[in-house]
Amino acid sequence: MSLAEIVGRIREAERVAGRPEASVKLIAVSKVQPLDRVEAVLAEGHRVFGENYVQEAAAKWPALRERFGPVELHMIGPLQTNKAKAAVELFDAIHTLDRPSLAEKLARLAEARGACPELFVQVNTGEEPQKGGVLPAEVDSFIADCRSLGLALGGLMCIPPEGEDPAPHFSQLAGMAARNGLSGLSMGMSADFETAIALGATHVRVGSAIFGARDYGPR
C-alpha cells in the first residue's frame, strides 16, 4: 500500500472517531527495510520513523538526516540499558520504557544532558512471559516511580498478543493512561491501526503496510 493510502485511512479513522484531523501521528516503521524503500518514503515527504535496533538506526539515520533534513525518530524495540546513552542521543522518543533499571539510567542521562526523549511506558497487557513491558497491576506504581526520578512521561505503549482481538488491550491501555494523567497512546500497527484510532491512539506504528514485507536475512 502506498504511504498516501495509509495516511488516507488514518484520516478517515480520525473522522469516523470524531477526532481532529492529524491528531494521530504515523510512525513509519523502517526497521530491517532496504535503504531504497526508506529513501522513497522520505522523498514523499514523510518525516516520522520508527526503529527497533539502536545499532541499525545509528548506522542509517545520521546520513539520511544530513540528506533529507530533520527526521523525528522513535525507538520502538526493546532497549538494553547499556545502549541507553546511544539511544537518547539518536532518538526523539522511546516507546519501550519497561523496567526500573532502564528508568534509573534514563533519569541519569536526562539530568546529565539537560534533555530527554519523549518517553512511553510499555505495558504487557497480555501478560505474555516472552514479551517486554510492565504488567498491568504494576503500571500505576511504575509510573509513580518514574515521575519520582524526574522523568516526564508522554504516554503508554502496548503490543496486543498475536491472534487476539486487540480492542480490549487498547481499551485497557487508554484507561491506564487516563487515570495516570497521560495523553499519549502508542498503539496500533499495520493490521489494527484503525481500531486503535477508534479507541484513542495518538501514535500508530505502521511498517509492512507502507514498505512491504521485511527481509530478515543475514544482518
Side-chain angles (χ1 to χ4, degrees), residues 25-28 30 42 46-51 61 65 69-75 90-93 95 118 120 203:
K25 183 171 287 188
L26 168 61
I27 301 170
S30 47
L42 280 161
H46 195 69
R47 289 296 181 270
V48 185
F49 290 81
E51 292 282 348
W61 282 102
R65 279 171 160 160
V71 170
E72 190 177 305
L73 208 52
H74 293 246
M75 175 68 183
L90 183 63
F91 290 96
D92 300 287
H95 291 238
E118 185 178 21
F120 293 76
H203 298 66

Side-chain angles (χ1 to χ4, degrees), residues 100-148:
S101 61
L102 182 56
E104 290 159 11
K105 178 76 170 180
L106 290 171
R108 289 195 297 272
L109 290 167
E111 186 174 5
R113 295 176 77 241
C116 187
E118 185 178 21
L119 298 176
F120 293 76
V121 172
Q122 182 175 354
V123 183
N124 189 347
T125 55
E127 302 188 33
E128 299 173 272
Q130 81 281 11
K131 194 177 282 183
V134 180
L135 293 174
E138 298 167 4
V139 166
D140 294 0
S141 61
F142 183 73
I143 290 170
D145 290 345
C146 288
R147 285 171 167 161
S148 74

Side-chain angles (χ1 to χ4, degrees), residues 144-158:
D145 290 345
C146 288
R147 285 171 167 161
S148 74
L149 291 168
L151 291 174
L153 301 177
L156 304 180
M157 182 272 253
C158 77

Side-chain angles (χ1 to χ4, degrees), residues 163-200:
E164 282 192 23
D165 178 3
H169 296 273
F170 296 155
S171 294
Q172 183 183 26
L173 197 75
M176 292 173 184
R179 72 170 180 256
N180 283 286
L182 293 170
S183 58
L185 287 170
S186 172
M187 58 190 199
M189 297 189 287
S190 290
D192 56 23
F193 66 83
E194 282 143 325
T195 301
I197 291 168
L199 292 167

